Amino acid sequence: MSEENAVMNDEQSVMNDENAVMNDENAVMGDENEGGAGLDMRPRHDFRLLWGGETVSKFGSSISGVAMPLVAVVTLHAGTLWVSMLAAAAWLPWLLFGLSAGAWVDRVRRRPLMIACNLVSLVLLAGVPVAAWYGVLTMAQLLAVSLLTGCASVLFSVAYRVYLPTAVARDELSAANAKLQGSESVAQLGGLGAGGLLAGALGAVTGLLADAATFLVSTLCLLAVRGREPRVETPRARPGLRAEIREGLRHTLRDPYLRVLTVYGSITNLLLTGCQAILTVFLVRELGVGEGAVGWLLAAGGVGGFLGALAAGPMARRFGTARGMLLCKLVTAPLGLLIPLAGPGARSVLVALGLAGLSVGVVCGSVIQGAFRQTYCPPELLGRITASYSVANYGSVPVGALLGGALGTSFGLRPTLWLLTAGLAVSSLLLLVKPLAGRRDLPTEPVAGERAAAEATAAPVRTATATARAM
């Protein structure tokens, strides 16, 4: 009996030790959960790398936002229409294959795709200063670089938005999007200012070399991510690429919330890009602003964007996500009318004030809408819905850039700015239609009727695919 008791005591001791180990593991998990529950206090390792890499990349892109048109205007002496074509080329890929990009992203692992896109952009941008130093740089090369880096940006943007929910908990997406938008605005502020300083001190082409370096930093951050990306589920009876594109597009168009936000985003992007496409020419040739000062005036948009990112959370909590978004848009959109009021000297500051006001509303709304889409849309369709939404929004950018250039050439820069900013001032009225009208908050998932309608749109695609495979 004593030996049996000894054995039982030993077994009990082992069980106690195992329980102690389990308690220690639970304590560690609890500490990790406490650390990850609030992104404001201690961001997770992977999100911190994504956040840092994307912020550095946006900083470089903002440098190019100043440097690229300055290279065209100052170095190559391009006219207004050429500069607007340069802006259009960067966004044209959204129209060319934006919908296909969403379907591709839903089929592959996102992190390797983002790394490849970064490396392509790095090589293309580094080639511009090399060509300039050898005296062979042309507008054709600038347009080609703008177009091809735009193609890489399309794939990266869709992949990044789909990858983010795998690195951040569902209830932390709003805070994560606010952090990304806020740091993007700060990066824009610093990048535009740095672009102006680099252009004034070392020449505009140097800014493109700096942008290439930021893509290297972003790539290193992505390589350092620890978490393993979930495998992409591949159904045995997978529809063709066109069928998948139609499925995402139908879901976007049939859902009342996604439809209204998509139409509104397309119109505002069209008008905003029309303004931005001719703004550098307006500052340099009509207001007499120097190369260095151009960057600092344009950087005011970054200040407004940062304030918009800070305001998004409090606005959503105080007024609700739907009403908070409406208030931001309705109050800030008319401030764009300050831009065409600007003049030489001290009056040029009106450009900065107008840009800052517009950016507050744009970024505040983007933070709220970004979290809404990532929680509202079905995960298996998120890439295609994101692409559909982005094609409508970003696809209007090249059209807006060409429109701004054509109107500026035909009627003058200042009258064109009046027309476009007046359109922005009234565009927010589109958000007062149903289903947003009267709602305090945006939904977190489709209601029963809307979900049934969305599923009905996908049914014909799946049925046709199954029938085709059976034959």
Side-chain angles (χ1 to χ4, degrees), residues 36-44 46-48 50-52 54-55 160-161 163-185 309-310 312-313 317 363 366-368 370-372 374-375:
L39 282 172
D40 292 332
M41 296 300 296
R42 191 166 54 184
R44 293 178 178 178
D46 288 352
F47 174 73
R48 186 164 58 246
L50 291 171
W51 183 20
E54 183 66 357
T55 299
Y160 189 87
R161 292 173 191 171
Y163 182 75
L164 182 62
T166 68
V168 178
R170 182 183 178 91
D171 60 348
E172 296 171 352
L173 280 171
S174 181
N177 279 293
K179 283 181 174 290
L180 287 168
Q181 290 285 350
S183 61
E184 180 179 339
S185 298
L310 291 179
R317 288 190 295 270
V363 173
S366 295
V367 170
I368 295 173
F372 160 69
Q374 289 166 343
T375 56

Side-chain angles (χ1 to χ4, degrees), residues 227-238:
R228 296 189 62 182
E229 183 179 354
R231 292 187 59 182
V232 178
E233 296 183 4
T234 305
R236 287 188 300 176
R238 184 160 205 161

Side-chain angles (χ1 to χ4, degrees), residues 181-208:
Q181 290 285 350
S183 61
E184 180 179 339
S185 298
V186 173
Q188 181 185 21
L189 171 63
L192 291 173
L197 289 176
L198 284 172
L202 302 175
V205 293
T206 308
L208 300 181

Side-chain angles (χ1 to χ4, degrees), residues 20 42 80 83 111 206 269 370 380:
R42 191 166 54 184
T80 302
V83 176
R111 189 159 67 104
T206 308
N269 270 356
E380 69 276 8

Side-chain angles (χ1 to χ4, degrees), residues 72-414:
V73 173
V74 178
T75 304
L76 300 178
H77 309 290
T80 302
L81 190 57
W82 274 107
V83 176
S84 65
M85 288 175 62
L86 188 64
W91 299 96
L92 185 60
W94 282 105
L95 285 176
L96 297 179
F97 72 98
L99 291 173
S100 301
W104 290 334
V105 166
D106 278 339
R107 291 179 172 210
V108 301
R109 292 174 60 212
R110 287 87 189 200
R111 189 159 67 104
L113 177 61
M114 292 189 288
I115 291 171
C117 291
N118 275 343
L119 293 175
V120 169
S121 297
L122 187 159
V123 172
L124 289 169
L125 288 167
V128 174
V130 172
W133 294 334
Y134 281 96
V136 294
L137 181 64
T138 63
M139 274 302 299
Q141 181 179 349
L142 273 188
L143 286 169
V145 169
S146 184
L147 179 66
L148 293 175
T149 54
C151 292
S153 178
V154 168
L155 288 170
F156 185 95
S157 296
V158 176
Y160 189 87
R161 292 173 191 171
V162 177
Y163 182 75
L164 182 62
T166 68
V168 178
R170 182 183 178 91
D171 60 348
E172 296 171 352
L173 280 171
S174 181
N177 279 293
K179 283 181 174 290
L180 287 168
Q181 290 285 350
S183 61
E184 180 179 339
S185 298
V186 173
Q188 181 185 21
L189 171 63
L192 291 173
L197 289 176
L198 284 172
L202 302 175
V205 293
T206 308
L208 300 181
L209 188 62
D211 189 11
T214 64
F215 279 105
L216 176 60
V217 174
S218 177
T219 299
L220 294 175
C221 288
L222 286 170
L223 289 171
V225 170
R226 294 175 184 170
R228 296 189 62 182
E229 183 179 354
R231 292 187 59 182
V232 178
E233 296 183 4
T234 305
R236 287 188 300 176
R238 184 160 205 161
L241 189 64
R242 290 184 180 179
E244 289 189 340
I245 292 172
R246 286 196 298 270
E247 188 176 2
L249 190 59
R250 284 174 180 170
H251 189 99
T252 303
L253 295 177
R254 295 287 285 267
D255 185 277
Y257 296 96
L258 295 174
R259 182 174 62 245
V260 170
L261 293 175
T262 300
V263 171
Y264 169 75
S266 300
I267 293 173
T268 54
N269 270 356
L270 179 82
L271 299 170
L272 275 170
T273 310
C275 292
Q276 292 169 351
I278 63 175
L279 197 53
T280 299
V281 184
F282 176 70
L283 290 170
V284 172
R285 294 183 178 165
E286 292 214 4
L287 304 189
V289 177
E291 293 180 34
V294 167
W296 290 111
L297 286 174
L298 297 179
V303 176
F306 180 68
L307 295 176
L310 291 179
M315 289 289 289
R317 288 190 295 270
R318 175 66 178 84
F319 301 103
T321 52
R323 291 179 185 171
M325 180 181 65
L326 283 171
L327 283 173
C328 281
K329 299 291 188 180
L330 291 171
V331 171
T332 60
L335 296 177
L337 293 168
L338 294 172
I339 296 174
L341 286 172
R347 285 178 57 198
S348 64
V349 75
L350 293 176
V351 172
L353 294 175
L355 286 175
L358 287 173
S359 297
V360 169
V362 168
V363 173
C364 183
S366 295
V367 170
I368 295 173
Q369 290 179 50
F372 160 69
R373 285 193 304 274
Q374 289 166 343
T375 56
Y376 179 79
C377 299
E380 69 276 8
L381 288 174
L382 184 56
R384 280 163 280 172
I385 293 172
T386 298
S388 299
Y389 178 87
S390 298
V391 165
N393 278 262
Y394 298 146
S396 64
V397 170
V399 179
L402 292 175
L403 178 65
L407 291 175
T409 301
S410 301
F411 303 108
L413 297 172
R414 194 182 298 273

